[in-house]
Structures are given as C-alpha cells and as structure tokens.
C-alpha cells in the first residue's frame, strides 16, 4: 500500500466511511435534546388526543344492550326490555328500536336495581365485605416493556365495569397511565411526590419534639417540607372519564423523588421511607373510599417502587414469555427479597434493642402474569416458566390480539373501543384477553377479603 492510496471500506454492507461521515449532522449538544423533547411533547399530545372528544376531553363511550346483557349484568335482552318497560324511573338508554345504548353510570344504576329486585341466584353486584379496607394491588417489574401499564389500566377498567370503585396511582414519571386515563398533571405537586414529602415532614416534626426535650438541635424543615404538610391525597385525586375510576397522576418531575428521598433518609436515618405511601392511604382514610387501589410502578426497583411494594396487599408481576424476561423477573424477585429482607433485619435489630415487636413484610398473594402471549410460538417456553414459578403464576396467559394493538394506538383500553369497529369475533377474543385476567385477579381479591374476615372473626372469638 502506498502513502497515497485510500483505505478500503469495510466489506460488511460495503459502507463507505467518507460517505457515512457526510451524512452526519454536526455534533449534538444539550440544546439539541431540548429541541427533540419539544417535538416529542407536541407529538405525544397529538397522539394522546386521538382518543379524546373534539372539546379536548376524554369521554367514555356508551354500552349497547348486547354488551350490557352479555358482559355486565348477565340477563337476557328480552328480560331487560321488560324490566325497563315496567320501571320507567330506570335509565332507558338512548337510541331507537331494540338496541339501546347506556352510559356506565346508567349501567351501575341498573346493577343496583337488579341486586335488590332481580334473581337471588345471580350476583349482580361484586362482593366486598362490609368494614374491610380497599385492597392495594401493585403492578411491578423492573424490566420495561412487559405490559405493566396496559395490565394495570385494564384491571382498573375491568374492576370498574364490575361495579367496583377504583383509585389508580401512577408512580411512573413517564406518565403513560395518566395519559390513558386522560389525566392532567402540571407539576410534581399534583403527583404522589408531596405525599412522600409530607410523611418525612411529619417524621421530622415528631423527631424534633424528642430532640427539643433532650436539648438537641432540631432537624431542618425547609419550604418544600412545610408546604407538603398542607397536602392531602384528596387534594391530588382527580376524576377520570370513567365514573368509578379516580386518578393520582404522574409527570416527569415525579422522578426527582428518587433523588430527594435518599437525601431525606440521610438527614433522618430513623425515617421508614418505605411506609410513606401506605401511611398516606391509611391516615387520610383513602382505603375506605375505594374498593381497589392500583399502583402502576416505574421499571426500576427505586424508592417509588419500594413504596408501592410495601403498600401492596397483592403484587402482580407481568412478563413476556421470553428467556430475557423470565431471567429479568427472577432477578427482580431476588432483588425484592434482598431489599425487603435487609430492611427487616435493620429495623428488627433496633426493635429488639428497645423491646419492641418485630416487623415483617407480607403480601396476601403474588402472581406473575404472562403478557403479549403468542400461543403459536411461545407455548413451550411459557410452560417452562410456569413450571419454575409454580404457584406464583396465573393460569391464564394474556394473549396479544389485533384489537389490543389497535386500542393502544388510540391511547385507549380495549373496553373503550367501540366493538362496531371490529368484527364480532375479533372483539370477543380481544376482550376475553383482559376479562380472563380480571377473573383470576378477582378470585384472589375475594379470597383475600374472605380470609381477612375469617381471621378477624377468630381474633374476636379469642377476645
């Protein structure tokens, strides 16, 4: 090779480095990211509003007589028509002829009527024992793209169609759940962040009382912490286009909690940071206002996820039927164990020194759920995953259907999609994907409530 000869281009794809360099832009600085983010925000708002009404708000569609009778009330259409004719005070639905269309509020009214006047052999209203608090379901896995938000959103919608009152708390700063629910969140003060800050501020107040009695220097309460003391979860809850689903939303600034929480913990090592969210739900009696509280978590085992896991009664872990997702989920369980076992060990060491009862993390149930399942290609691996995770697994595998994909493009849940946009078989199959998931989770839900009631009865008997 002579000094004047040019190096030959790499043979793979026959790419010419000089031509490749000519296609590059100037080096990227931080300002360019701001420009890309601006364009992405505009596109995100445009795409999110595909499921909105012309006035910029999300509205839940109405449900036809066929849907009401097949999916929601389990009654014959002819019987429904007879009941409506005999009770003109009941919602009559909109439309002409035999097919009427009902809002979900109207369906809930019909549920109440049939529960009091209908057949005693049927359960028109979903069971929740009187006096029992809401069950908290946390949907978590530290691998992204496994269907956490989609699963949580559809569980919320399934439960709402079943007549339950649902609160969804979005703990992922990406805010995908907030978009699906049509939420509007201006800054971190409309997210769960002030609830964590308030819990720390209350701890500091109690700690400072002890320090004052001992003549020690008080811990600082800055403006953020002082302001958080005025915040209640009720200030943060917003209604959605579903009449029985409420939301505490998320946005990008919520991520700052992951940086701020460890700073607070360093200032007050005695603060049990993992209890902050649970304390907020309990102290403000939010657990009494709802039947189910669903927590959608970020794809990481950070402080927000730790709070969600600690507050949960039921843990649901979505994963795909692939080796990488199986491996990642196993590591998630391992990290969950090491994290919470470490907290238990540290806390109980102190409790034993002070003759206090030891603490223990417990969950009513844990289930791993296979999502985006393709039976033609993934059955063998799904069976292997089922064998290794055993009773941690749900029996139903959530299939990926064309309807699920299309609903996702509209930033909607499948229950929000008008079935007339699909052929009937496609709609039935797509809906079954989440109906059967809800059936398994509902069985766990009712079982844990029942067990709680029996345990309380036994404790009362001993007393």
């Amino acid at each position: 090779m002579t000094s004047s000869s040019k190096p030959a281009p790499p043979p793979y794809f026959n790419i010419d480095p000089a031509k490749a360099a000519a296609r590059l832009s100037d080096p990227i600085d931080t300002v360019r990211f701001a420009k890309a983010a601006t364009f992405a925000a505009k596109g995100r708002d445009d795409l999110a509003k595909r499921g909105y009404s012309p006035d910029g708000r999300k509205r839940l569609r109405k449900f036809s007589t066929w849907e009401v009778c097949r999916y929601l009330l389990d009654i014959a259409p002819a019987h429904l028509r007879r009941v409506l004719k005999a009770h003109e005070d009941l919602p009559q639905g909109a439309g002409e002829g035999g097919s009427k269309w009902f809002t979900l509020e109207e369906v809930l009214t019909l549920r109440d009527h049939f529960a009091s006047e209908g057949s005693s052999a049927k359960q028109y209203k979903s069971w929740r024992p009187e006096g029992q608090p809401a069950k908290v379901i946390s949907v978590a896995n530290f691998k992204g793209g496994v269907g956490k938000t989609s699963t949580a959103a559809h569980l919320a919608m399934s439960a709402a169609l079943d007549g339950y009152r649902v609160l969804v708390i979005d703990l992922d700063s990406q805010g995908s759940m907030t978009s699906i629910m049509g939420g509007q969140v201006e800054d971190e003060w409309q997210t769960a962040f002030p609830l964590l800050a308030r819990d720390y501020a209350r701890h500091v107040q109690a700690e400072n009382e002890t320090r004052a009695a001992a003549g020690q220097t008080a811990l600082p309460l800055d403006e953020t912490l002082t302001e958080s003391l005025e915040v209640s979860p009720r200030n943060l809850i917003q209604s959605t286009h579903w009449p029985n689903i409420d939301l505490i939303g998320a946005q990008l600034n919520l991520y700052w909690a992951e940086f701020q929480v460890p700073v607070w913990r360093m200032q007050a090592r005695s603060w049990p940071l993992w209890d902050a969210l649970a304390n907020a739900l309990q102290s403000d009696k939010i657990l009494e206002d709802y039947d189910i509280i669903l927590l959608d978590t970020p794809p990481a085992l950070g402080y927000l996820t730790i709070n969600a896991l600690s507050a949960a009664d039921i843990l649901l872990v979505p994963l795909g039927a692939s080796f990488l997702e199986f491996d990642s989920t196993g590591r998630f369980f391992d990290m969950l164990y090491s994290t919470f076992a470490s907290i238990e060990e540290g806390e109980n060491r102190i409790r034993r020194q002070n003759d206090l009862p030891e603490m223990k993390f417990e969950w009513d149930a844990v289930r791993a759920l296979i999502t985006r399942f393709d039976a033609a290609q993934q059955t063998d691996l799904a069976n292997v995953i089922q064998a290794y995770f055993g009773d941690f697994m749900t029996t139903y595998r959530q299939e990926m259907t064309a309807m699920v994909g299309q609903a996702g493009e509209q930033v909607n849940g499948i229950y929000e999609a008008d079935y007339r946009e699909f052929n009937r078989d496609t709609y039935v199959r797509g809906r079954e994907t989440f109906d059967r998931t809800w059936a398994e989770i509902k069985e766990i839900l009712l079982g844990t409530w029942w067990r709680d009631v029996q345990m309380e009865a036994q404790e009362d008997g001993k007393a």
Side-chain angles (χ1 to χ4, degrees):
M1 180 186 296
T2 64
S3 58
S4 60
S5 63
K6 296 181 180 180
Y12 196 60
F13 291 136
N14 295 317
I15 295 174
D16 185 330
K19 292 181 179 178
R23 293 190 180 96
L24 293 174
S25 65
D26 292 334
I28 306 299
D29 59 15
T30 55
V31 175
R32 183 65 182 82
F33 283 110
K35 186 176 180 180
T38 300
F39 281 124
K42 183 178 179 181
R44 181 179 63 245
D45 292 342
D46 178 54
L47 291 171
K49 286 181 170 54
R50 286 184 178 184
Y52 285 46
S53 301
D55 62 0
R57 296 178 59 193
K58 264 200 165 186
R59 284 187 170 82
L60 183 61
R61 68 178 180 86
K62 295 183 177 182
F63 298 87
S64 71
T65 301
W66 171 72
E67 289 177 285
V68 170
C69 293
R70 171 162 181 165
Y71 292 112
L72 304 182
L73 294 180
D74 188 24
I75 57 176
H79 180 55
L80 175 60
R81 286 191 286 270
R82 285 195 298 271
V83 170
L84 295 182
K85 186 175 181 180
H87 297 82
E88 295 183 355
D89 58 318
L90 288 176
Q92 299 296 308
E96 302 294 332
S99 182
K100 301 286 188 177
W101 292 79
F102 299 84
T103 65
L104 184 53
E105 292 95 329
E106 291 173 332
V107 174
L108 295 175
T109 299
L110 293 175
R111 272 188 184 277
D112 291 337
H113 173 82
F114 282 101
S116 61
E117 303 292 336
S119 169
S120 59
K122 291 186 177 181
Q123 188 182 70
Y124 296 102
K125 293 185 72 173
S126 291
W127 182 74
R128 172 189 171 181
E130 180 131 7
Q132 290 296 312
K135 284 294 182 182
V136 181
I137 302 175
S138 181
V139 185
N141 197 334
F142 65 22
K143 191 177 192 312
V146 296
K148 288 190 305 295
T149 298
S150 177
T151 297
H154 283 100
L155 283 176
M157 294 175 190
S158 297
L161 291 173
D162 213 355
Y164 285 116
R165 296 165 299 164
V166 183
L167 173 64
V168 175
I169 303 179
D170 190 352
L171 296 173
D172 188 347
S173 59
Q174 296 176 87
S176 299
M177 175 68 81
T178 302
S179 294
I180 291 173
M181 291 298 170
Q184 299 295 322
V185 180
E186 296 300 325
D187 56 34
E188 67 272 22
W189 284 93
Q190 296 177 13
T191 71
F193 171 77
L195 300 182
L196 307 185
R198 186 186 69 165
D199 192 75
Y200 174 70
R202 287 179 171 179
H203 179 83
V204 168
Q205 286 182 322
E207 178 74 14
N208 283 342
E209 290 180 6
T210 303
R211 285 171 171 258
Q216 298 174 345
T217 304
L219 295 173
L221 267 179
D222 60 24
E223 184 179 349
T224 295
L225 296 174
T226 302
E227 186 176 348
S228 72
L229 289 168
E230 305 300 320
V231 176
S232 162
R234 298 178 191 282
N235 304 140
L236 308 175
I237 293 171
Q238 53 183 294
S239 301
T240 72
H241 54 297
W242 286 74
N244 48 349
I245 300 179
D246 289 339
L247 170 74
I248 295 179
Q251 58 103 255
L252 188 61
N253 288 352
L254 174 60
Y255 191 72
W256 286 108
E258 299 291 356
F259 299 96
Q260 188 60 63
V261 166
V263 172
W264 291 333
R265 173 72 170 175
M266 288 295 293
Q267 292 173 347
R269 299 290 296 178
S270 58
W271 175 48
L273 63 89
W274 49 87
D275 283 339
L277 182 59
N279 288 341
L281 297 176
Q282 292 168 1
S283 63
D284 290 81
K285 298 184 177 180
I286 301 301
L287 295 175
E288 298 176 13
D289 293 347
Y290 297 92
D291 301 308
I292 299 168
I293 297 177
L294 270 160
L295 309 178
D296 185 36
T297 64
L301 192 55
Y303 295 106
L304 290 166
T305 301
I306 287 173
N307 260 273
L309 295 173
S310 178
D313 300 299
I314 298 169
L315 173 58
L316 189 61
V317 185
L319 73 153
S322 73
F323 167 77
L324 291 178
E325 295 187 35
F326 172 51
D327 179 55
S328 175
T329 301
R331 295 176 191 275
F332 173 70
F333 287 141
D334 186 45
M335 186 172 286
L336 194 154
Y337 158 73
S338 60
T339 299
F340 284 94
S342 175
I343 293 171
E344 285 179 347
E345 182 181 355
E347 287 294 300
N348 289 332
R349 188 185 308 116
I350 297 172
R351 287 168 178 256
R352 286 191 292 271
Q353 293 171 356
N354 294 285
D355 293 323
L356 296 173
E358 295 190 7
M359 58 93 72
K360 184 179 182 181
F361 290 105
E362 282 189 333
W363 292 266
D364 287 336
V366 176
R367 291 294 184 275
L369 165 68
I370 290 180
T371 60
R372 300 172 289 111
F373 179 62
D374 181 349
Q377 300 184 37
Q378 298 179 322
T379 296
D380 288 344
L381 184 52
N383 289 341
V384 171
I385 294 172
Q386 190 95 29
Y388 277 105
F389 280 156
D391 61 1
F392 260 26
M393 293 294 300
T394 59
T395 56
Y396 180 68
R397 296 160 185 175
Q398 202 175 87
E399 294 187 27
M400 183 66 185
T401 70
M403 182 182 171
V404 173
Q406 185 170 330
E409 291 176 5
Q410 299 296 326
V411 201
N412 281 330
I414 61 167
Y415 298 115
E416 298 174 317
D418 191 328
Y419 69 87
R420 293 171 296 183
E421 297 176 2
F422 309 87
N423 68 54
R424 187 66 63 90
D425 290 342
T426 300
Y427 179 81
V428 169
R429 182 166 173 259
R431 178 170 178 139
E432 182 186 26
T433 296
F434 291 100
D435 283 345
R436 292 186 61 180
T437 298
W438 167 238
E440 282 208 54
I441 303 306
K442 182 179 179 180
E443 182 179 21
I444 295 169
L445 185 74
L446 299 190
T448 57
W449 265 327
W450 180 266
R451 186 169 62 187
D452 291 345
V453 171
Q454 302 308 307
M455 291 177 65
E456 283 191 9
Q458 290 176 6
E459 292 297 323
D460 291 343
K462 292 177 182 178

